[in-house]
Amino acid sequence: MQDHDLYVSGDPLDRLIAQSRELPSWDLTPRQACDTELLLNGAFAPLDGFMTGDECRSVQDKKRWQDHFWPLPVYLDVSEACAGALEIGDPLALRDQEGVLVAVITIADKFPASAIASDAERNAGSNPVCIGGRLQGIEAPAHHDFKRRRLSPRELRRQFDKLGWRKVLGYATRQPLHQREVNETYNASRKIEANLLLNPAVGAVQPEDALHYAQVHCYEQVLDHFPGQTTDLAILPLYSRCAGLDDALLHALVLKNLGCTHYMVDRGYCAMAETGMNYSQVQEALSAYNQKLGIELVFNERMVYSARRGGYVERATVADGELVNELTTEEFAGRLRSHLAVPDWYTWPEIVSELGKIYRPCSEQGVTIFFTGLSGSGKSSIANAVLVKMMEMGGRPITLLDGDVVRQNLSSELGFSKEHRDLNIRRIGYVASQITKHGGMAICAPIAPYTRTRRDVREMVEQVGGFVEVYVSTPLEICEQRDRKGLYAKARAGIIKEFTGISDPYEEPEYPEVRIDTEGISPEEAAQRVILTLEKLGYIKTI
C-alpha cells in the first residue's frame, strides 16, 4: 500500500511556517484534533482534508466520498466569527490547545453545521459553521502518553513487513479485555491463521483521565496472555461519533490503512454503539459492506467458561445442562466497587488491581452536591446546613462554592448576561470537578437556570466522581416574599435586566437526585433529606 500522508517537508514546509505567522488561526477542539491527526498521517486515506458541504451530503446520502466508500462526514466546525473572516481560497492555521501549529487548511467551502451534524454532535456543542478544504500538515499533534503505542499507518505497515506479518486481524475495542475476550479474539485469529493487532480507540484524552491510563495498562498486560510474537498493540486517536454501525465501518477503513487484512467486530463495541440490534443482526448489516471496505470482516464466536472442561468454549458447543460461568461487565464493576472477590476464570489479578484503582466504592470517591433553584429558594441555607453536618461526620475535605461568594472571588469581572452566567456556572463546575477528582466533597449553590449548562457540569464532574443534583423547587411567589435585597421588585420594575424567574427563564431540572420545596420546612429538615440521599447512593459509608 502506498504511503498517504499530508505532511509538508523541505522548503515548502519552511515557507508554510513563515506564512502561518500572518494567518488567522483556529484552535482545534479535542474531536477536531483527533480527526486532523488521522487525516494528516493517512489513517483517513484517501481523504485529503476536511470535507466540503457537497462531499458531506454525498457521504450522508450515498456513503461515497468522490469515488470511494466512506461512512461518515469528517468536517471542521468553527465559530461564526472565524468563518466570517474567511473567503474561499484563504488559508487558515490550525493549532492545538497549546497554540502549536499543526496544519494549514485552504478554504474550499463554507456551509452551516446544522445541515450535517448529528443530534449527538449538536448536543455536544458543535460550532455553527463548517469549512472544508485540503490540509497541509506541519507537525503531528503532541501526545505525551504511551508514545510507543501510538504508531502511524506508515510505521505500523513497516513493522508488519519487518516481522513478516502478511495476514493481520485488527481488533477494535473500547473496553478492557478479560479472559473471555482474549479467548474469543485468539480463537478468531487462529481460525484464519492471522497475527493480531489490538487497536483500541481512545479518542480525545485529557491528561488527568485516570480511566484512560488504567485501560491502556490493561491492554498492555493482556499481551502476555497471547502467544508470543503473534500479537501487538497500537492505540488509535479515533473519536466516536455515536453513530452506531457507521463508527464500526469507519474503524474498519482505518484498520485497512494501518495494514490489517481482517477486522474483527467486537460484541461490546457494537453494544456501546447502541445499535438496538443483536449480534446476528449486526453481522448481517455490516456484511453488506464487506466488498466495499477492502478489508475482510470477522465476527467472533461467543465463548463461555465451562466449569466441567475447565476453560472457555464456544457457546454453540455447550451441551444441555452443562454448567457455564458468566459475569456481566456491570456485575464485574459492582464487585470492584464493593471490594468483592472477582473469580479467577473471569480475569487476571493484575487487571483487577489496575481497574480497582478506578472503580472505587462511592464512599471513597469524591462527590459534588449541586444545588439549583431560584434566588431566595433556600439553596444557601440548606447548603450551609449540609456542610456542617458533613463536617461533623468527617471523612472527606469539604468545600462550599456558594453563588454569591463565587461571584465575588472567582467571577468578579463577569456581568449577568446569559453568556456570563453560563461562564460563571462552568467555572464553578470546573472547580467542583477538581475537588471531586481528588476525593473531596464540593457543595455548590448557584442559581444555574439553564438545563444545558447543568448537564455539562454534571458530565464534567461524573468523569472523575459522583454528582448529586438538588433542585430547591420553592415557588416563585415564596421566593419573592423572602427577598431581603429587593431584587425581585427591581426586576419587575425593569431596573434589573435578565433576572431569572422574571425577565429570564428558569429551566426546571427533570431528573434531580433530590427535589425540595422549602415552604414549611426548616433548613435542618431539608439538609437531612440530602444526607439521607447521599447515604442511599453510597456516598456516606454505613456500618
Side-chain angles (χ1 to χ4, degrees):
M1 179 182 293
Q2 185 177 0
D3 288 333
H4 177 101
D5 69 42
L6 306 178
Y7 287 103
V8 181
S9 59
D11 290 341
L13 174 62
D14 295 336
R15 289 194 296 271
L16 196 60
I17 292 174
Q19 178 192 16
S20 69
R21 300 188 182 102
E22 308 299 324
L23 296 181
S25 66
W26 174 256
D27 291 344
L28 297 166
T29 67
R31 173 183 61 79
Q32 294 167 356
C34 289
D35 288 351
T36 301
E37 180 173 357
L38 297 178
L39 285 165
L40 293 178
N41 68 20
F44 275 177
L47 303 189
D48 59 3
F50 286 102
M51 294 179 182
T52 64
D54 287 343
E55 289 170 338
C56 284
R57 285 184 285 273
S58 174
V59 167
Q60 286 183 316
D61 297 340
K62 306 173 185 176
K63 285 186 164 43
R64 302 293 296 178
W65 178 81
Q66 297 184 4
D67 293 329
H68 304 275
F69 172 79
W70 198 267
L72 286 165
V74 180
Y75 59 88
L76 179 63
D77 52 303
V78 300
S79 66
E80 290 180 341
C82 176
L86 298 170
E87 300 293 339
I88 303 302
D90 285 350
L92 174 68
L94 303 180
R95 302 181 182 274
D96 67 15
Q97 293 295 306
E98 296 180 359
V100 176
L101 180 64
V102 173
V104 172
I105 182 173
T106 301
I107 310 303
D109 192 18
K110 296 193 294 184
F111 55 99
S114 58
I116 49 97
S118 68
D119 290 341
E121 289 165 329
R122 283 194 290 270
N123 290 338
S126 62
N127 292 293
V129 184
C130 289
I131 54 177
R134 194 177 187 283
L135 283 176
Q136 293 175 283
I138 307 296
E139 182 177 343
H143 297 287
H144 304 296
D145 62 313
F146 304 108
K147 281 182 171 293
R148 68 192 184 97
R149 301 297 181 190
R150 293 181 178 272
L151 301 178
S152 70
R154 176 185 296 175
E155 291 168 333
L156 266 174
R157 290 196 301 269
R158 289 180 179 175
Q159 183 169 296
F160 293 160
D161 287 341
K162 183 178 180 180
L163 295 173
W165 289 16
R166 297 293 176 260
K167 188 184 288 187
V168 183
L169 173 62
Y171 178 48
T173 183
R174 295 179 186 272
Q175 296 291 324
L177 307 184
H178 303 294
Q179 291 216 35
R180 177 178 62 79
E181 292 86 358
V182 168
N183 277 274
E184 288 177 350
T185 308
Y186 173 64
N187 190 42
S189 62
R190 181 175 55 83
K191 284 183 176 181
I192 62 173
E193 298 181 342
N195 293 101
L196 178 65
L197 175 69
L198 304 180
N199 191 230
V202 298
V205 177
Q206 297 299 320
E208 67 272 17
D209 184 355
L211 179 59
H212 161 68
Y213 297 97
Q215 287 187 330
V216 177
H217 286 148
C218 288
Y219 297 134
E220 291 183 322
Q221 287 163 346
V222 299
L223 288 176
D224 294 335
H225 298 284
F226 287 97
Q229 307 300 315
T230 67
T231 306
D232 204 354
L233 166 68
I235 61 177
L236 181 71
L238 179 63
Y239 202 93
S240 172
R241 265 87 170 156
C242 302
L245 297 182
D246 285 339
D247 272 323
L249 292 171
L250 181 60
H251 203 147
L253 290 175
V254 170
L255 284 168
K256 180 185 70 173
N257 289 325
L258 296 182
C260 294
T261 56
H262 295 70
Y263 166 42
M264 191 169 89
V265 183
D266 176 40
R267 292 171 181 270
Y269 189 104
C270 291
M272 288 180 67
E274 298 178 354
T275 60
M277 302 177 182
N278 61 36
Y279 197 56
S280 296
Q281 292 169 322
V282 168
Q283 287 183 345
E284 183 178 355
L286 289 178
S287 294
Y289 298 102
N290 208 9
Q291 298 301 317
K292 299 178 181 179
L293 287 169
I295 184 172
E296 189 169 338
L297 296 175
V298 175
F299 298 92
N300 57 351
E301 296 290 338
R302 177 72 172 179
M303 301 187 79
V304 294
Y305 184 82
S306 169
R308 178 173 63 81
R309 289 184 261 181
Y312 278 84
V313 298
E314 292 184 7
R315 180 79 188 186
T317 68
V318 174
D320 291 342
E322 183 176 354
L323 180 64
V324 297
N325 297 337
E326 293 186 275
L327 193 70
T328 67
T329 302
E330 293 74 18
E331 289 169 339
F332 170 62
R335 285 177 174 267
L336 291 179
R337 291 191 181 98
S338 301
H339 290 302
L340 297 176
V342 176
D344 292 339
W345 55 262
Y346 182 79
T347 196
W348 296 275
E350 60 267 30
I351 304 299
V352 173
S353 174
E354 194 65 52
L355 294 177
K357 302 171 186 176
I358 305 301
Y359 292 101
R360 294 178 295 166
C362 289
S363 60
E364 296 179 12
Q365 296 179 23
V367 60
T368 290
I369 308 172
F370 192 90
F371 290 85
T372 175
L374 294 170
S375 177
S377 61
K379 302 183 302 298
S380 295
S381 298
I382 305 171
N384 277 286
V386 170
L387 169 68
V388 172
K389 287 179 178 292
M390 293 305 303
M391 291 293 292
E392 198 172 17
M393 290 182 191
R396 280 191 187 91
I398 305 171
T399 303
L400 175 64
L401 299 171
D402 182 75
D404 290 339
V405 175
V406 169
R407 274 283 180 179
Q408 295 172 8
N409 295 281
L410 189 63
S411 301
S412 59
E413 86 287 7
L414 299 183
F416 290 89
S417 65
K418 184 180 187 301
E419 180 184 3
H420 279 193
R421 279 181 286 177
D422 266 353
L423 179 56
N424 180 55
I425 300 306
R426 293 179 193 280
R427 287 180 180 178
I428 291 174
Y430 174 75
V431 174
S433 72
Q434 296 303 299
I435 294 168
T436 301
K437 180 174 71 175
H438 295 290
M441 175 180 286
I443 302 175
C444 311
I447 293 174
Y450 307 121
T451 300
R452 169 68 181 277
T453 313
R454 293 194 301 263
R455 185 184 66 221
D456 290 349
V457 170
R458 177 186 285 272
E459 291 174 355
M460 189 189 313
V461 173
E462 286 184 337
Q463 292 179 11
V464 294
F467 186 89
V468 177
E469 185 176 51
V470 182
Y471 172 33
V472 185
S473 61
T474 309
L476 175 62
E477 57 270 21
I478 302 299
C479 295
E480 287 197 70
Q481 292 172 18
R482 296 175 177 174
D483 185 16
R484 299 175 182 175
K485 300 177 183 177
L487 299 178
Y488 281 101
K490 291 179 181 179
R492 290 196 179 279
I495 298 172
I496 299 178
K497 308 295 183 184
E498 296 182 298
F499 190 83
T500 301
I502 303 299
S503 51
D504 202 67
Y506 178 85
E507 300 170 358
E508 295 187 8
E510 293 185 0
Y511 306 107
E513 281 74 13
V514 188
R515 183 186 297 264
I516 302 173
D517 181 349
T518 61
E519 185 179 8
I521 68 170
S522 68
E524 186 82 9
E525 292 174 282
Q528 191 60 35
R529 287 184 56 186
V530 176
I531 298 295
L532 289 172
T533 299
L534 292 172
E535 185 177 18
K536 175 183 175 182
L537 295 174
Y539 293 110
I540 296 176
K541 185 177 290 187
T542 56
I543 297 175

